Amino acid sequence: MLFTRTVTRAAPRIFLNQISTKPIVFSRSLSTMKALVYKGVNNIGLEDHPAPSIKKPTDAVVKLSYTTICGTDLHIMKGDVPTCTEGRILGHEGVGVVEEIGAGVGGFQKGDPVLISCISSCGTCEYCRKGMTSHCTQGGWVLGNTIDGTQAEYVRIPSADSSLYKIPEGVDPKSLVMLSDILPTGFECGVLNGKVQPGGTVAIVGAGPVGLAALITCQLYSPSLIVMVDLSPYRLQVASEFGAHHTTDPANAEKVIKDLTDGKGCDTVIEAVGIPDTFHSCQDLVAPGGVIANVGVHGVKADLHLEKLWDRNIAITTRLVDATTTPMLLRLLAAKRLPAEKMITHHFKFADMMKAYDTFKAAADHKALKVMIEM
């Protein structure tokens, strides 16, 4: 929470030939907030931290209403993301209210309710003009990575005009948090990169939040077969409820998928975990001419078996979400075409952030998908 206090003290008047000194004013600004801070591998803590302020005219400061925890935050905790250094406030998802704007911000005003994109984009650099905002030369994925993020009472948003979205009236703000990252990630990195087409066949390896986001959004393209692969019976059950035609555990995935596709495999295979075993499994599940769309964050080496794939005409895609589809997904959510609210399984107050992390880290034990943090 922000605290500002101005202390005014009048200096004593000393009369010399009827001339006195003027009052002297001392000002001091006290600005602190609570934040979830990364302190090293497997070491985080909720602690007092300096509150953010405007650094550039294009910045905005947002007071968070809701945030969440991402699987990428767990990768950071494991040391898989070296760009995130000790002392960083984690988090890149959330909704809130604009608290302050820089002189160069034209699209937002103090008090506007906003959705925060996980990607900060200037909108004018070479990569932004290509639609690759994740590689923006002045932004990209910086929140909770190279600058302080959203798991705090306040966050500074660079390039605010192109990195925030106004919240439509009547839309549940908690559901909107799913549009900060996981829904555009599942859609762009999985569905679009995987070239899902009407009548095509899709396998999704990993039924976590991003895998389920890919499942939800791939149905916009009416594939004839969607198979979800995961170790958790609970998550496979959820996948069935979200529209998967078949589910299987990893040990039986190849047989199940080959039986369903006359031995061919799937046209699109989406890797949504980020470990070597799941990437290797995808190579066994893809059909000739198909696409393996990698979505997971990989922190260690994963083998590519070209001795099996060199003649199969496949493509392998990688991508960091650009969030260029967020406006479209926002319209779908407002039209109640995306069941984003069903992905929220647990609710916590911000004071219980450490408990929220413990729950999310042991998601299978707690039957957790997305945890919602209320500030």
Side-chain angles (χ1 to χ4, degrees):
M1 186 173 295
L2 295 175
F3 302 94
T4 302
R5 182 172 65 189
T6 301
V7 182
T8 303
R9 299 172 182 167
R13 295 186 176 184
I14 302 173
F15 292 93
L16 298 174
N17 297 325
Q18 305 298 314
I19 298 175
S20 65
T21 61
K22 294 182 179 180
I24 302 173
V25 177
F26 300 90
S27 294
R28 181 172 56 180
S29 178
L30 306 176
S31 299
T32 60
M33 65 175 183
K34 290 292 186 182
L36 192 288
V37 178
Y38 172 66
K39 299 192 287 186
V41 175
N42 294 320
N43 186 9
I44 57 173
L46 189 63
E47 53 190 51
D48 291 326
H49 196 277
S53 59
I54 300 296
K55 292 185 176 180
K56 294 183 178 180
T58 50
D59 290 348
V61 172
V62 174
K63 181 179 182 181
L64 272 297
S65 302
Y66 297 96
T67 187
T68 188
I69 303 170
C70 181
T72 304
D73 298 321
L74 301 187
H75 280 283
I76 290 173
M77 287 184 62
K78 292 191 295 183
D80 290 344
V81 184
T83 51
C84 185
T85 55
E86 294 181 18
R88 180 69 60 227
I89 298 174
L90 296 184
H92 49 267
E93 302 164 275
V95 298
V97 177
V98 174
E99 178 74 13
E100 185 180 1
I101 59 172
V105 176
F108 298 93
Q109 296 179 348
K110 179 180 172 65
D112 283 343
V114 289
L115 165 69
I116 298 169
S117 175
C118 64
I119 298 297
S120 302
S121 61
C122 71
T124 59
C125 73
E126 175 187 1
Y127 291 112
C128 286
R129 288 176 179 270
K130 289 180 180 179
M132 289 175 56
T133 55
S134 59
H135 292 273
C136 172
T137 58
Q138 300 179 53
W141 173 40
V142 292
L143 289 174
N145 179 12
T146 58
I147 68 172
D148 288 334
T150 59
Q151 291 173 12
E153 293 179 284
Y154 294 84
V155 62
R156 180 180 68 89
I157 304 297
S159 303
D161 277 331
S162 48
S163 305
L164 296 173
Y165 298 90
K166 290 184 178 179
I167 297 178
E169 290 187 13
V171 177
D172 175 25
K174 295 185 290 295
S175 297
L176 273 173
V177 177
M178 305 300 105
L179 263 66
S180 281
D181 182 0
I182 62 168
L183 279 167
T185 294
F187 184 53
E188 295 176 10
C189 305
V191 177
L192 296 185
N193 263 21
K195 296 180 171 57
V196 176
Q197 297 180 13
T201 56
V202 180
I204 303 172
V205 180
V210 171
L212 292 172
L215 167 62
I216 291 169
T217 55
C218 82
Q219 293 172 70
L220 298 171
Y221 290 85
S222 301
S224 62
L225 175 69
I226 308 171
V227 183
M228 182 64 81
V229 182
D230 200 276
L231 285 167
S232 167
Y234 166 70
R235 290 190 168 188
L236 292 179
Q237 176 189 338
V238 172
S240 295
E241 295 170 359
F242 280 15
H245 302 125
H246 296 272
T247 63
T248 179
D249 59 34
N252 297 299
E254 184 173 6
K255 182 180 186 305
V256 168
I257 288 173
K258 292 293 178 65
D259 287 347
L260 290 168
T261 59
D262 298 323
K264 294 190 291 291
C266 284
D267 303 317
T268 300
V269 181
I270 298 172
E271 196 287 331
V273 181
I275 61 174
D277 284 348
T278 51
F279 181 69
H280 300 158
S281 177
C282 290
Q283 298 172 52
D284 297 327
L285 305 179
V286 65
V291 179
I292 297 174
N294 182 82
V295 184
V297 178
H298 290 266
V300 298
K301 178 177 71 69
D303 292 329
L304 175 62
H305 291 284
L306 283 175
E307 75 278 9
K308 297 180 180 179
L309 300 172
W310 70 271
D311 62 348
R312 299 194 51 136
N313 295 48
I314 69 160
I316 299 174
T317 65
T318 66
R319 184 173 181 174
L320 179 59
V321 63
D322 295 299
T324 53
T325 62
T326 299
M328 180 270 288
L329 294 171
L330 186 56
R331 291 193 296 272
L332 288 174
L333 184 67
K336 303 188 184 305
R337 294 288 306 279
L338 297 176
E341 72 284 352
K342 294 182 179 179
M343 302 184 74
I344 303 167
T345 56
H346 292 69
H347 295 78
F348 296 91
K349 294 291 187 181
F350 187 54
D352 297 323
M353 195 68 179
M354 298 302 294
K355 184 177 179 181
Y357 260 91
D358 289 340
T359 299
F360 193 65
K361 285 189 291 184
D365 295 337
H366 296 281
K367 295 184 177 179
L369 295 176
K370 289 294 282 186
V371 297
M372 186 57 52
I373 314 298
E374 183 178 358
M375 308 307 288

